[in-house]
Amino acid sequence: MIQFILLFSRQGKLRLQKWYTSQTDKSKKKITREIIAAVLSRKPKMSSFLEWKDLKIVYKRYASLYFCCAIEQDDNELLTLETIHRYVELLDKYFGSVCELDIIFNFEKAYFIFDEFILGGEIQETSKKSVLKAVNDQDVIQEVETPQGLIDEY
Amino acid sequence: MAMSVTMDQVVKRAKDSFGQMFDKSLHDLVRGIRNHKDNEAKYINEAIDEIKQELKQDNIAVKANAVNKLTYLQMLGYDISWSAFNIIEVMSSNKFTFKRTGYLAASQCFHEGTDVLMLTTNMIRKDLNSSSMYEAATAMNGLSCFINGDLAHDLANDIMILMSSTKPYIRKRAVLLLYKVFLNNPDALKPAFPRLKEKLEDPDPGVQAAAVNVICELARRNPKNYLPLAPIFFRLMTTSTNNWVLIKIIKLFGALTPLEPRLGKKLIEPLTNLIHSTSAMSLLYECINTVIAVLVSISSGLPNHNASIQLCVQKLRILIEDSDQNLKYLGLLAMSKILQTHPKSVQAHNDLIMQCLDDKDESIRLRALDLLSGMVSRKNLMDIVRKLMIHMDKSEGSHYRDELLSKIIEICSQNDYQHITNFEWYISILVELTRLEGTKHGNLIALQVLDVAVRVESIRPFACNQMAILLANAHVFIVGSNTTTVAEVLYAAAWICGEFCSYLKEPQETLQAILNTKVTLFPGHIQSVYYQNILKIVTHLIQSSNNDQAFAKQLISTTIEKMSAFLSSGDVEAQERASVSLHILKTVLKLLEKSDFNINELSVLFEGSLNPVAPKAQRKVAVPNGLDLDAWINEPPSESEDESVVSETHYDNKGLFYGNSENSYSSNSYANEASSYQKTKNYVEPTADELEQQRESRKQSEQMNPFYLKDTKKSKATPKTETPTTATNGNENLQSSLSKGAIPSNLQVSLSDQLYRQAKIDEENRRLKKKSKVDGTSSKKGKKSSKKSDTVAADDNDDDIYPTIKVTRGGELPEGATASGNEDNDDDNNTKVGNKNKKYDPHRALNIDLNEVPKPTPSPPQPKQTSQKPVDVPSPPPPESHEKPKKPKKKTTAEKEAKATNSKTKLKKPERSDYKELVSPIDDEETTAPPPPASSTIPNEKPKKKKTKEKKSTSKTAAAEANQSAPLLFDIMSDEIPSSNQSTQQQNEQDLYKLAAQSDNLTVEYSIVSKTSAAELDVTFLLKNRTTSIIDHISIHVVDSMSSKLLNTTSANRISFPSLSLFPHAQNYLHVFFTINAISFPQKLKTTLSCSVNKSNQIENDTIEFKLNLPCSQYLRRKTLHSDAFADLMNSGTLTSQSNVNISTGKPNFTSIINTICQSYRLTVVDNVNSAASLYAETILGHPVALLIKSTNSPSNISINGKSTEAHFLSNLLEEIQTSFK
């Protein structure tokens, strides 16, 4: 099971975090700090895997962003790499040539895509089309509901 | 794709409508943060103040916007826990837009300890049941992140209901969420499991995949509860094309196979097919991992087993050779798993692993290093270490270098230096390692040098002189920095030079070197050893000077002069030792002046030699009678200060020798050895007057005390120290390289290299020598000798070209103790520790037997049906019965553990014997299905398979889909491997079970197979339960005869099968083994089988007595022989015994007669000409048996002419054949 997913920039700035195990803010911060440091210290020619405590960290860099997944000992590293890649593809399809700024400014959308793709650390939908359809459908609901929404509420 | 509405646009619209009310949208905030890089904190604090204002407003849109911004700030590391209540407010909005924002914020910042969660139960329940599937999904996504025990408890039912939603979109989420529910509320697993299992067959592949995911996660933690699902998964595996799902299923099988070896056998084929066909690396990798797991679990008995390993290794080689670092890394990782069980297969790829040592990626290099230690052999050790040494010179980074160093020592020292053929070389390697800058492994090197010098007697001269060189150059080790511990090696050097100073070439110079070193700059414990050993060398010098008084005086006075400086040592221990040594010398000098000195008085201090002590020796010492270890010793003030009390302190006070460095020593893996060094005898009392007395008392206590190291003579006689014979050429080798040991220190850099080359040349010489020897002998020796060598276990032929050097392995143990005696204790300790670690694992709580039905309903017993459908029984997976006697202890501890962790199982156990049809409300729909006919019919179709039991263990879960799963179940669980030679062969010959005995309860049949590898018979009993009750507590008692003995007995002449239970009308196999040491006569072994029959109200004991027939023919085993070899054998005259018999077979066809004989008696046809055939076989003790069968006059009459070395056996065999035709 995926334990958590972190997206961060080359400068070590966290861009996205998704935790599939319950953690306090304090331990989240600590883990994040340690993992960002560990991954950033890796040299470019190194493999995408590192062992961290009793977890395995699988990471991949896309342009300026590191995508990093923590998985358990008997999980499949290559499958995790594919998961990361699939997520990047989803982002790319959704935003259209995604870049770091898209994720910074629309971070909640990035999270919503996560939620359609992964639930509780397990892949729930392997079809890109289905994921994007679900995300778009919800966007439509939001759009429809917005003007009335504000008037109703007020 | 165009981006649709974002929160910002919502806010923008709101802004338009309400003007000033909104201060910032999320966009504004992000932009603002980016524009205030210098004072980000200040800017954000202001923003948070604004957000707090926004949250106070009534407008939910404003609040949602504020919460959205908080979610962003949370990611930047700001505390937003204060807003938990506002987040819940937003979550409870009835607008999807806001609800979504609220749930996102909650999933990011709530955790199981968040206290407002208890307010959310009803709101979440409402959302879960929302008519909008996206609202329900949002709630489930959020819940999966922050679910806690209470929520899991309260919402479990709602989530269960969602599993039957009409929308797959909801169903698959509900299934995945269920896993989180289980983790937080283990009680939910049992009632939910049937529903979850159904989802494996859901029409929607997404839901199916979700169910696979969840069960895979569950099963990885507690595999045995999920074994019954194997058939369903097997079908999914063979039908699914979705790699994501396949990987999970294959992973799941990896967890299951260790429990059920037959499952593994069944898996090999589909898995190898996948390995061949798939192009997806992740799937390939998973398959290889599972194949490895399978091969580990079925370590024997699979004929194409080697092919599978080879396939894996080949594929891994491709991965490792790939330019992709990831594949390389994973390939090495998987390779190390194979290495543990099949080192030979990996060793073949030595070259590749070595290449990986040059990889740019340190993590890959480290993986390769891990592999190396398993790959070394006597043949390649020197090459590998040499390569590592070269590597060390090139490599950067002290961490990696230290890793290399410890790995070199590890691979050289493993198994008590098993692979080292040349210790001079090893010592010189160790010396070279001390030149490594900044290493942290000084201790390790020092302990290695000590260990080698102590254990390998023949190396002492060389080691001693190498150490002398180190001591002479000790100044290089005085470095200011604290980062290196390499000076530790001087500790070893000083001790070796002192203890074995008789081997020193120039002891006087070494002494000078020691005295001239600024010893006081070293750590205290090193100083201490220095001072102690100065005394030893001085003693030796005087001793060997032939009573040269003048020399002795001069020597002592210079030593005293130099040593005075050492009195200023800052270390208490060292100072004390310096002082003691000094005063002894002064006393000696005084005596010398008076000409009253006898060297023996001094040398007696250092008499005796040091032997290694076995790591567990201390624990093996039996507590003497009358000694109560718990009683107070010192409660009353002690009246007599007995000397023995003083002497006892040497071994119980570890700190004595090592001072404060003790911790660092025991922290490394050589702690065990370290403790043995502490038991040196170098303990000296301050004044010479007390020495004599002290020595006496010490001798006494040595004699009395079993803890104490024994004298040399005794230790040599003890059988515990392995003393392989020292090959003569090994000694020569030693001598020749000894002369090389005297190379001046500045040339020494290449010493290990020189020794390496020398060793290679020697090796080549020996190889040639051996080759010529073999060539010479093989031509002389006849066929018989070659046959003999067949029966000897095939050795690595190259191994004997290496000299065997005596290494004292293990160590001394107290009398009567054996090395393996206390192993069980260790295991217990280990498991305890393991359990402790697992204490907080939520999965422990999920170890629930899912085959067990929650509640029995008082339905009347229906005897007719129970025999067909005894399905509700929780039963352990049917283990290979013959394996049990070998590991009874493990088994029982495992059982205990299972009982302890699952008290429910224990409570429900009595139901087993009742066999009522147990129906629970949840299982209602399943049990209404017609009872499967499978369990009664299928055993008849395939009577030989151990299937009935599996059926029972799985059938509850399989009941609903009995028609689909039952046949498949047998299919995959059955022992039969279609293409296996073994099974067909077995069928051909002896698989017909003969009836041995029968009682009202049991039918006992048996079949005998001779083992090909050892002089053993494998007798398989097939037990058939004739009752409607469970039969268990089965045990077999066989009276040993002169020539046979029952193996693996659990008590005298008896084997119990405690974990074997026979279910009504089921059958099972028991394997027992006999060793056979004489074959001349047939035997009838008196056998008693006892068991208990669990009738509905009572337990009946049943005993069946019968004679187990072991006719002579059973001692035969198949052996093919070429006709030339057969002719040679007949002509050789070795087959001295002959016997003839004429038989009227009543069968017209000669060929069919021969076939019958061959099949019944495990003979093979060597030659078959017209109406004559020659047959051959071997007894299990290796005697050749040759038969010549001719058809006489009429075709149905034959004459058999037998030849063998065993007369009685032969005549009995022929008699047997004769009777069989009557």
Side-chain angles (χ1 to χ4, degrees), chain B residues 736-888:
Chain B
S736 68
S737 38
L738 235 174
S739 53
K740 286 194 177 74
I743 306 164
S745 60
N746 51 353
L747 288 179
Q748 203 197 327
V749 186
S750 59
L751 179 55
S752 78
D753 260 2
Q754 288 184 15
L755 288 168
Y756 169 81
R757 277 177 209 137
Q758 181 64 39
K760 284 285 147 187
I761 294 165
D762 288 350
E763 185 188 317
E764 200 47 46
N765 287 340
R766 282 194 294 271
R767 206 188 299 274
L768 289 171
K769 214 168 166 185
K770 187 192 164 209
K771 205 178 163 196
S772 61
K773 225 186 214 169
V774 169
D775 288 346
T777 49
S778 65
S779 56
K780 281 178 213 160
K781 283 187 185 170
K783 255 108 210 175
K784 205 186 168 195
S785 71
S786 66
K787 198 164 54 193
K788 258 186 191 161
S789 67
D790 271 352
T791 56
V792 176
D795 255 353
D796 192 359
N797 281 336
D798 270 355
D799 254 15
D800 52 1
I801 63 164
Y802 296 101
T804 318
I805 297 162
K806 177 183 156 181
V807 179
T808 313
R809 299 211 158 88
E812 292 205 333
L813 287 169
E815 277 171 46
T818 53
S820 58
N822 255 354
E823 229 71 300
D824 300 338
N825 268 347
D826 294 349
D827 288 351
D828 281 356
N829 292 341
N830 288 342
T831 47
K832 266 177 209 155
V833 172
N835 288 346
K836 234 176 240 170
N837 290 342
K838 283 178 188 164
K839 208 171 170 181
Y840 302 107
D841 185 1
H843 297 283
R844 295 281 284 182
L846 283 176
N847 189 1
I848 295 166
D849 191 342
L850 297 165
N851 301 316
E852 190 190 331
V853 167
K855 268 184 194 169
T857 53
S859 72
Q862 295 170 314
K864 184 93 187 190
Q865 236 182 344
T866 48
S867 64
Q868 283 191 324
K869 202 169 175 286
V871 289
D872 300 333
V873 189
S875 86
E880 299 272 329
S881 52
H882 65 275
E883 279 179 15
K884 257 178 245 159
K886 289 177 191 161
K887 299 174 187 168

Side-chain angles (χ1 to χ4, degrees), chain B residues 43-67:
Chain B
Y43 179 82
I44 289 176
N45 280 330
E46 284 170 15
I48 290 181
D49 285 343
E50 280 171 21
I51 289 169
K52 282 182 176 163
Q53 289 304 314
E54 288 166 20
L55 288 173
K56 282 180 186 153
Q57 303 204 22
D58 286 334
N59 189 319
I60 192 74
V62 179
K63 279 187 183 168
N65 182 49
V67 165

Side-chain angles (χ1 to χ4, degrees), chain B residues 1173-1187:
Chain B
S1174 47
L1175 278 63
Y1176 183 74
E1178 224 179 63
T1179 71
I1180 53 176
L1181 297 180
H1183 309 293
V1185 177
L1187 299 184

Side-chain angles (χ1 to χ4, degrees), chain B residues 636-666:
Chain B
S638 62
E639 288 167 9
S640 60
E641 292 282 294
D642 210 60
E643 293 290 356
S644 63
V645 174
V646 178
S647 65
E648 219 148 64
T649 55
H650 344 176
Y651 24 80
D652 64 30
N653 189 352
K654 288 181 177 181
L656 202 60
F657 251 71
Y658 278 72
N660 46 13
S661 73
E662 219 276 310
N663 287 338
S664 62
Y665 272 87
S666 54

Side-chain angles (χ1 to χ4, degrees), chain A residues 20 48 72 74 125 145, chain B residues 172 180 220-221 251 326:
Chain A
Y20 295 108
S48 296
E72 289 171 284
D74 39 7
E125 181 57 70
E145 143 181 295
Chain B
K172 70 181 177 199
K180 295 282 173 181
R220 278 155 69 177
R221 269 33 178 262
K251 187 181 290 301
N326 294 334

Side-chain angles (χ1 to χ4, degrees), chain B residues 1016-1088:
Chain B
E1016 287 176 17
L1017 289 184
D1018 171 0
V1019 179
T1020 312
F1021 289 104
L1022 173 61
L1023 307 181
K1024 292 179 182 166
N1025 187 347
R1026 308 180 67 199
T1027 66
T1028 52
S1029 315
I1030 299 184
I1031 296 181
D1032 55 10
H1033 290 102
I1034 296 164
S1035 68
I1036 288 181
H1037 180 273
V1038 183
V1039 180
D1040 286 346
S1041 72
M1042 295 287 284
S1043 51
S1044 70
K1045 183 165 170 33
L1046 187 61
L1047 288 176
N1048 306 326
T1049 50
T1050 44
S1051 55
N1053 292 340
R1054 179 181 294 279
I1055 305 182
S1056 308
F1057 298 90
S1059 49
L1060 181 82
S1061 339
L1062 275 175
F1063 292 101
H1065 296 294
Q1067 55 185 20
N1068 211 331
Y1069 294 78
L1070 292 182
H1071 282 269
V1072 297
F1073 297 91
F1074 293 92
T1075 45
I1076 302 297
N1077 49 40
I1079 48 142
S1080 302
F1081 299 99
Q1083 296 189 59
K1084 288 192 174 172
L1085 298 176
K1086 191 182 167 196
T1087 310
T1088 317

Side-chain angles (χ1 to χ4, degrees), chain B residues 765-1009:
Chain B
N765 287 340
R766 282 194 294 271
R767 206 188 299 274
L768 289 171
K769 214 168 166 185
K770 187 192 164 209
K771 205 178 163 196
S772 61
K773 225 186 214 169
V774 169
D775 288 346
T777 49
S778 65
S779 56
K780 281 178 213 160
K781 283 187 185 170
K783 255 108 210 175
K784 205 186 168 195
S785 71
S786 66
K787 198 164 54 193
K788 258 186 191 161
S789 67
D790 271 352
T791 56
V792 176
D795 255 353
D796 192 359
N797 281 336
D798 270 355
D799 254 15
D800 52 1
I801 63 164
Y802 296 101
T804 318
I805 297 162
K806 177 183 156 181
V807 179
T808 313
R809 299 211 158 88
E812 292 205 333
L813 287 169
E815 277 171 46
T818 53
S820 58
N822 255 354
E823 229 71 300
D824 300 338
N825 268 347
D826 294 349
D827 288 351
D828 281 356
N829 292 341
N830 288 342
T831 47
K832 266 177 209 155
V833 172
N835 288 346
K836 234 176 240 170
N837 290 342
K838 283 178 188 164
K839 208 171 170 181
Y840 302 107
D841 185 1
H843 297 283
R844 295 281 284 182
L846 283 176
N847 189 1
I848 295 166
D849 191 342
L850 297 165
N851 301 316
E852 190 190 331
V853 167
K855 268 184 194 169
T857 53
S859 72
Q862 295 170 314
K864 184 93 187 190
Q865 236 182 344
T866 48
S867 64
Q868 283 191 324
K869 202 169 175 286
V871 289
D872 300 333
V873 189
S875 86
E880 299 272 329
S881 52
H882 65 275
E883 279 179 15
K884 257 178 245 159
K886 289 177 191 161
K887 299 174 187 168
K889 284 220 168 117
K890 259 192 184 166
K891 185 75 191 174
T892 47
T893 49
E895 273 170 7
K896 266 180 213 157
E897 207 177 51
K899 275 178 195 165
T901 54
N902 192 357
S903 55
K904 274 184 194 163
T905 324
K906 209 175 175 183
L907 289 174
K908 294 270 161 77
K909 281 238 158 112
E911 291 172 10
R912 290 172 57 148
S913 51
D914 284 349
Y915 264 99
K916 287 162 189 163
E917 187 172 348
L918 307 172
V919 183
S920 76
I922 287 166
D923 292 323
D924 250 346
E925 33 185 289
E926 283 190 12
T927 42
T928 49
S935 64
S936 60
T937 56
I938 289 178
N940 300 334
E941 291 166 22
K942 291 183 180 176
K944 279 188 315 196
K945 300 301 169 278
K946 311 176 188 179
K947 71 203 80 124
T948 320
K949 219 178 154 197
E950 278 99 34
K951 178 62 197 161
K952 308 263 144 96
S953 65
T954 50
S955 49
K956 174 72 217 165
T957 52
E961 58 273 279
N963 289 336
Q964 293 160 307
S965 69
L968 186 73
L969 181 69
F970 299 136
D971 203 9
I972 78 160
M973 290 297 202
S974 67
D975 246 336
E976 193 180 45
I977 304 149
S979 59
S980 114
N981 299 329
Q982 209 182 20
S983 63
T984 46
Q985 189 187 328
Q986 264 175 14
Q987 271 169 353
N988 283 346
E989 357 184 292
Q990 284 295 332
D991 236 8
L992 295 167
Y993 282 81
K994 292 175 201 148
L995 184 71
Q998 193 165 17
S999 76
D1000 292 342
N1001 301 317
L1002 267 182
T1003 308
V1004 184
E1005 297 175 7
Y1006 73 101
S1007 136
I1008 305 172
V1009 179

